[in-house]
Amino acid sequence: MSEINTLSAFNAFSAGALWLLGSLLFIGFEKVNVRANRWLGAFYGILACNFTQIFLEEFGIGGSLLIHLLETA
């Protein structure tokens, strides 16, 4: 059984949490300070792209097109 790198697991869980939080903030479920929530959601989305890219590169998952798309964010 292969051992999973702790840092890679942290990147995977952080990416998932940031995708969820960023999408919830960007959609705007909370009606207080909508403009700031959208900016924060966009920032979390960009941060999630970075964590996802690091995770995919570490495990060698995905093609070069996916990696390049994540790099543009």
Side-chain angles (χ1 to χ4, degrees):
M1 184 168 192
S2 65
E3 184 176 325
I4 295 178
N5 189 1
T6 307
L7 187 59
S8 297
F10 173 76
N11 287 334
F13 287 121
S14 296
L18 284 169
W19 279 117
L20 178 64
L21 184 60
S23 63
L24 288 175
L25 282 172
F26 194 76
I27 289 172
F29 283 109
E30 195 170 323
K31 300 300 181 203
V32 178
N33 207 356
V34 175
R35 190 171 181 195
N37 283 340
R38 291 221 173 128
W39 277 107
L40 187 62
F43 174 73
Y44 283 162
I46 291 170
L47 198 59
C49 285
N50 289 333
F51 276 115
T52 304
Q53 176 194 357
I54 292 169
F55 169 72
L56 292 176
E57 286 177 348
E58 182 71 28
F59 282 104
I61 303 170
S64 62
L65 178 66
L66 180 61
I67 300 296
H68 289 300
L69 285 175
L70 291 171
E71 284 178 353
T72 59

